[in-house]
Amino acid sequence: MKDWAGGRILVTGAAGFIGMHVVRALLDAGASVTGADNLDPYYDVALKEARIDTLRPDPRFSFERADLADASACAALFARRFDAVVHLAAQPGVRYSLVNPQAYVRNNLVAFGNILEGCRHAEAGHLVYASSSSVYGANHVLPFSEDQCVDHPVSLYAATKKANELMAHSYSHLYRLPTTGLRFFTVYGPWGRPDQAPMLFTKAILEGRAIDVFNGGRMQRDFTYVDDIVEGVARILAQPPQPDADEAPYAIYNIGNHEAIDLDAFIALLERLLGRAAIRNERPLQPGDVRATYASIERLRSATGFAPRTPLAEGLARFVGWYRSYYG
């Protein structure tokens, strides 16, 4: 990882799952990090506050509670000036976008526009932002490659992430703002989100409740351990893209484990780690869900020399260990 000694970095979504880990890694690399988050109650705010509490002892970390969809609040944040920005704040979740679409418009589109304006006027050296494997939508050619067409999202969440990529390209082209979008594939690990399968399944299995298993378990996900995601983010952050054919310093990379795991196999591994069998509530495939995700990582490997490498059995064991420690 690059030595960021003396560097000033803004990480949005710092109280989030990935955000907390990214902040920790950048602090360890010598950076001074400002973490911003609005502590949205989409899920347990106490968990978000606990993540931030793990970072507060470092004197090079400062936290700002800020609503990035508020243009004036975002502009005030950027008045500090940053060498680079990692934008991870967003409204997550595919299924919730069917229930509360306005949250995605506000937090994923309006807020991202404010981030782009902040980076533009503050002349940030590099904006790295979270996209998602969801942008691949109904694509059936596996593994998913960055060269594939992603013009047919099957959820509003995916549409907002694709829109972020388009918005970033326009700013890269117009203002020569270096931007890189990272398409994350099913991130899991310690301090994970309560609305994701590892946390939902673990909690239900330990409490003797049924887990919802969609499409008969005939789904595949490219589970990517959070430490691999963080290393990918850090390496890319240190490598601002060069201008492309449109004279835009712009790039897109997949970050995935390059392995499609059957949901049934994931559940079986979790059962072994917990020492308990899951009670299954079989449900049909949900609107907005896709049957399989699987990342091509050749572009990432070529650019950075890095490829995610944590096996699911190892990463899931670490997650279960953290879960038992945190929740008792």
Side-chain angles (χ1 to χ4, degrees):
M1 184 186 295
K2 174 181 175 179
D3 181 359
W4 282 101
R8 293 170 53 82
I9 302 176
L10 171 65
V11 177
T12 71
F17 167 36
I18 300 173
M20 182 204 88
H21 288 280
V22 168
V23 170
R24 181 71 270 160
L26 292 173
L27 290 171
D28 289 345
S32 293
V33 180
T34 297
D37 203 292
N38 68 349
L39 299 179
D40 186 276
Y42 168 69
Y43 64 79
D44 183 16
V45 173
L47 176 61
K48 296 182 178 184
E49 291 174 335
R51 291 174 182 146
I52 291 296
D53 286 343
T54 70
L55 303 170
R56 289 189 190 278
D58 195 309
R60 289 169 294 114
F61 174 71
S62 62
F63 177 71
E64 292 292 332
R65 184 165 185 171
D67 179 2
L68 300 176
D70 181 327
S72 60
C74 196
L77 189 62
F78 274 90
R80 299 185 179 194
R81 300 274 176 168
F82 300 102
D83 300 308
V85 177
V86 181
H87 179 58
L88 302 172
Q91 175 61 58
V94 169
R95 294 173 193 140
Y96 187 61
S97 67
L98 303 175
V99 178
N100 187 5
Q102 190 58 38
Y104 293 78
V105 173
R106 187 177 192 279
N107 296 326
N108 295 5
L109 299 180
V110 176
F112 190 65
N114 291 338
I115 289 290
L116 288 169
E117 276 291 280
C119 288
R120 169 198 170 193
H121 291 291
E123 299 181 337
H126 192 191
L127 167 62
V128 173
Y129 62 94
S131 186
S132 169
S133 61
S134 296
V135 301
Y136 289 104
N139 274 300
H140 298 296
V141 178
L142 298 174
F144 292 150
S145 163
E146 297 93 340
D147 296 323
Q148 291 178 8
C149 175
V150 290
D151 291 342
H152 300 92
V154 296
S155 70
L156 179 62
Y157 169 72
T160 63
K161 289 299 184 178
K162 172 58 179 174
N164 288 170
E165 296 179 0
L166 295 171
M167 294 163 71
H169 186 274
S170 69
Y171 270 70
S172 293
H173 176 75
L174 290 170
Y175 308 112
R176 303 298 185 263
L177 171 66
T179 68
T180 302
L182 301 178
R183 294 173 177 170
F184 297 152
F185 281 69
T186 315
V187 189
Y188 73 100
W191 295 98
R193 283 188 4 226
D195 62 321
Q196 292 183 307
M199 192 87 86
L200 287 171
F201 287 0
T202 297
K203 180 176 173 61
I205 290 171
L206 290 176
E207 293 177 356
R209 294 184 293 102
I211 62 172
D212 289 333
V213 180
F214 298 101
N215 201 42
R218 295 183 300 278
M219 299 176 70
Q220 294 182 318
R221 291 292 180 266
D222 195 341
F223 291 98
T224 314
Y225 189 63
V226 66
D227 286 0
D228 289 330
I229 291 288
V230 169
E231 183 164 354
V233 169
R235 291 197 184 208
I236 289 297
L237 186 65
Q239 297 181 211
Q242 298 302 306
D244 62 12
D246 294 325
E247 299 184 355
Y250 169 87
I252 293 287
Y253 297 96
N254 289 337
I255 302 187
N257 208 44
H258 192 59
E259 184 179 9
I261 303 291
D262 290 335
L263 182 60
D264 276 340
F266 175 86
I267 294 170
L269 175 57
L270 189 57
E271 288 174 322
R272 288 198 297 274
L273 289 169
L274 296 174
R276 300 190 185 187
I279 304 168
R280 297 167 63 112
N281 177 29
E282 301 291 346
R283 300 188 61 189
L285 189 69
Q286 299 295 288
D289 272 357
V290 295
R291 287 183 172 82
T293 65
Y294 177 26
S296 168
I297 53 172
E298 292 311 306
R299 185 180 291 187
L300 177 71
R301 194 197 311 266
S302 176
T304 67
F306 168 73
R309 52 183 174 265
T310 305
L312 179 64
E314 180 181 327
L316 200 55
R318 292 178 193 170
F319 164 76
V320 168
W322 167 82
Y323 185 95
R324 289 187 184 278
S325 173
Y326 184 78
Y327 288 104

